[in-house]
């Protein structure tokens, strides 16, 4: 118990506030100043090439792992997941190592805690002065030009390691989403989106794609805050939902899946779905950032976002194409609408309506473990197809680097 507690305390010590903007690495041959960046979650990180040049170590990425060698010791970081191997043990991290623009980034925790803990005779971290002191080891020039970035090895599916996708299971907490006419008793939209979201997370990790979740339990995240999980280091934002129709003649006959990307609603039905999903705002407290959400017109003028529209549309197309094989309902195609959850994502973003809870067959499909898994696998395949497409176009896992 005490061990677990100690780990938790250590992890909470590495938030945005506790990290300096620059850390000075002092070795026997001089000093190197290494900037500290933040990852999309605000966790402090350091570019591995600069750090390795300061520490006279080496780092390379292969098969989804970052192999870091410092003081003749090998650390292996799982890219995109907050875990590392040292001394044959898998250990937790405050934040994952990740790759952006062919550059490996390591959590700040590596120099502030991990090195000083394992090699206390050699490394000391002075938190007040933001200084890592290397007291010995073999003499070597400290300040060397960082090695030129080299082509990282590819994963078995052809992807470069280091992709990150944000998954957003719709609704949660006091916002149940739609009640689910043909769901088992007590199951609501928020339960189904979370179940499929977690399965999709596993499928993506299996395919070497890093995943960030807007929620992993039954909690409410403000709509305007969800997209903020997907910033520079994130490749794609995927929001998961379940559709429902109001009671009217024959409404239970409508079934199927559709994928939206952000734009002005093109049809009455798209406007209806957008309005339904945007309604979650009413569950959020008055102080929510949703109140300040910028209007769609303004956002559409944002050039960067316009550029993302093409990418988002392509992702939506691939989701529809792949989901066909895992769904018994109708392929309702790619649609456009003004979802608030999509307006705040600064990267390509889509919203998948996985089926209709008001249709008996869809209701069963959405709440049966085996068909949930099949859908998650189809979605993961679609996302990998999208990332491969994107790499072919840009030649890099991501088109923008990490910024502070
Ligand atoms: Zn929904």
């Amino acid at each position: 118990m005490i061990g677990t507690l100690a780990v938790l305390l250590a992890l909470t010590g590495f938030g945005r506030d506790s990290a300096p903007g620059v850390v000075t690495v002092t070795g026997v041959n001089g000093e190197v100043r290494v900037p500290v960046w933040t990852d999309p979650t605000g966790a402090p990180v350091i570019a591995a090439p600069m750090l390795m040049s300061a520490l006279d170590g080496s780092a390379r990425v292969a098969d989804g792992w970052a192999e870091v060698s410092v003081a003749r010791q090998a650390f292996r970081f799982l890219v995109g997941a907050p875990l590392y191997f040292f001394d044959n043990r898998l250990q937790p991290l405050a934040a994952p190592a990740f790759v952006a623009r062919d550059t490996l980034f390591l959590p700040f925790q590596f120099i502030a805690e991990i090195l000083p803990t394992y090699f206390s005779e050699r490394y000391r971290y002075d938190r007040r002065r933001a200084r890592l002191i290397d007291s010995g080891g073999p003499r070597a020039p400290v300040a060397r030009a960082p090695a030129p970035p080299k082509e990282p090895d590819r994963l078995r599916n052809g992807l470069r390691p280091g992709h990150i996708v944000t998954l957003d299971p719709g609704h949660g907490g006091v916002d149940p989403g739609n009640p689910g006419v043909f769901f088992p008793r007590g199951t609501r939209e928020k339960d189904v989106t979370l179940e499929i979201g977690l399965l999709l997370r596993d499928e993506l990790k299996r395919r070497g794609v890093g995943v960030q979740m807007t929620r992993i339990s039954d909690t409410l995240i403000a709509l305007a805050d969800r997209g903020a999980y997907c910033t520079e280091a994130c490749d794609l934002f995927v929001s998961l939902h379940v559709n429902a129709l109001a009671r009217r003649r024959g409404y239970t006959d409508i079934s199927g899946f559709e994928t939206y990307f952000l734009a002005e609603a093109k049809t009455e039905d798209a406007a209806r779905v957008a309005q339904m999903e945007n309604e979650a705002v009413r569950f959020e407290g008055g102080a929510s950032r949703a109140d300040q959400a910028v209007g769609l017109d303004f956002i559409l003028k944002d050039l960067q976002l316009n550029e993302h529209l093409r990418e988002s549309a392509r992702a939506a197309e691939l989701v529809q194409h792949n989901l066909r094989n895992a769904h018994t309902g109708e392929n309702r195609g790619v649609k456009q609408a003004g979802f608030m959850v999509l307006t705040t994502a600064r990267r390509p973003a889509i919203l998948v309506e996985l089926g209709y809870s008001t249709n008996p067959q869809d209701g069963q499909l959405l709440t049966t473990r085996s068909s949930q898994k099949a859908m998650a696998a189809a979605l993961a395949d679609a996302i990998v197809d999208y990332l491969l497409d994107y790499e072919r176009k840009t030649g890099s896992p991501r088109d923008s680097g990490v910024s502070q």
Side-chain angles (χ1 to χ4, degrees):
M1 276 313 277
I2 289 171
T4 312
L5 189 63
V7 168
L8 286 175
L9 287 175
L11 294 184
T12 53
F14 289 95
R16 193 198 318 252
D17 302 334
S18 65
V22 173
V23 71
T24 306
V25 180
T26 310
V28 283
N29 296 321
E31 292 187 350
V32 180
R33 286 165 61 78
V34 182
V36 179
W37 310 87
T38 50
D39 80 357
T41 68
V45 295
I46 286 180
M50 282 200 84
L51 182 65
M52 290 307 120
S53 111
L55 293 174
D56 199 29
S58 68
R60 67 183 205 103
V61 178
D63 293 332
W65 289 87
E67 312 215 347
V68 173
S69 170
V70 173
R72 296 200 185 120
Q73 302 289 329
F75 295 83
R76 298 178 75 221
F77 292 83
L78 186 54
V79 173
L83 294 169
Y84 74 105
F85 250 114
F86 181 69
D87 205 16
N88 287 322
R89 283 176 60 201
L90 195 58
Q91 322 254 22
L93 283 167
F98 64 96
V99 177
R101 275 219 165 176
D102 291 353
T103 300
L104 170 68
F105 288 84
L106 296 174
F108 176 66
Q109 187 188 8
F110 182 58
I111 58 168
E113 183 190 77
I114 295 170
L115 282 180
T117 303
Y118 287 122
F119 311 114
S120 53
E121 279 142 60
R122 178 162 179 176
Y123 297 104
R124 191 164 65 79
Y125 182 69
D126 181 340
R127 195 170 294 268
R128 199 173 50 80
R129 291 157 66 213
R131 202 174 270 273
L132 179 71
I133 298 136
D134 179 356
S135 63
R139 283 180 176 263
V142 172
R144 263 191 332 196
K150 65 181 175 94
E151 173 89 355
D153 296 331
R154 288 180 183 275
L155 305 174
R156 233 175 319 176
N157 55 17
L159 274 183
R160 293 187 186 197
H163 286 289
I164 298 173
V165 168
T166 299
L167 299 182
D168 174 44
H171 312 278
V174 292
D175 169 17
N178 81 65
V181 174
F182 289 102
F183 284 168
R185 183 185 288 273
T187 302
R188 271 83 50 90
E189 179 183 2
K190 66 173 183 178
D191 308 309
V192 172
T193 59
L194 183 59
E195 283 164 10
I196 297 177
L198 292 172
L199 288 171
L200 176 53
R201 175 186 67 178
D202 296 345
E203 292 292 337
L204 283 171
K205 285 192 170 170
R206 214 166 286 151
R207 289 162 178 75
V209 177
V211 176
Q212 190 159 282
M213 306 286 296
T214 57
R215 67 181 181 100
I216 53 168
S217 61
D218 186 16
T219 49
L220 179 66
I221 314 288
L223 277 184
D225 293 341
R226 290 182 186 247
Y229 283 82
C230 193
T231 53
E232 280 86 355
C234 160
D235 292 283
L236 180 67
F237 178 88
V238 181
S239 195
L240 301 173
H241 288 263
V242 173
N243 218 329
L245 288 170
R247 207 173 275 274
R248 66 176 183 234
R249 240 167 85 99
Y251 78 113
T252 59
D253 297 341
I254 307 289
S255 74
F257 54 100
E258 58 210 45
T259 306
Y260 289 81
F261 66 98
L262 174 74
E264 299 282 8
K266 278 272 152 62
T267 66
E268 206 177 300
D269 190 53
R272 173 193 67 79
V273 177
Q275 196 197 344
M276 183 174 72
E277 302 298 6
N278 288 343
E279 266 202 357
V281 172
R282 74 190 156 93
F283 292 101
E284 298 163 5
S288 161
R289 275 203 263 149
D291 297 335
Q292 304 151 27
V294 233
L296 184 58
D297 290 346
F298 174 78
I299 295 221
L300 282 176
K301 283 180 191 127
D302 181 326
L303 277 176
Q304 193 192 8
L305 201 115
N306 265 327
E307 210 169 285
H308 291 333
L309 286 184
R310 236 188 340 239
E311 303 298 335
S312 304
R314 177 67 182 144
E317 199 179 293
L318 287 166
V319 163
Q320 286 301 119
H321 179 81
N322 279 269
L323 210 47
R324 260 191 332 202
N325 310 318
H327 212 291
T328 48
E330 193 190 332
N331 180 350
R332 306 178 67 85
V334 171
K335 298 181 178 181
Q336 307 176 32
F339 290 105
M340 185 186 282
V341 67
L342 299 183
T343 64
T344 52
R346 290 339 243 158
R347 305 286 301 151
I350 56 172
L351 186 147
V352 188
E353 293 284 356
L354 293 160
Y356 283 80
S357 68
T358 42
N359 172 266
Q361 207 168 4
D362 275 11
Q364 194 181 11
L365 186 86
L366 290 163
T367 53
T368 305
R369 195 73 177 164
S370 56
S371 45
Q372 285 181 334
K373 275 188 182 161
M375 275 193 274
L379 288 167
D381 286 340
I383 291 168
V384 167
D385 287 351
Y386 166 77
L387 294 172
L388 283 169
D389 241 31
Y390 186 72
E391 278 185 4
R392 270 193 290 272
K393 256 181 276 177
T394 63
S396 98
R398 217 165 279 117
D399 67 358
S400 57
V402 171
S403 62
Q404 214 162 3

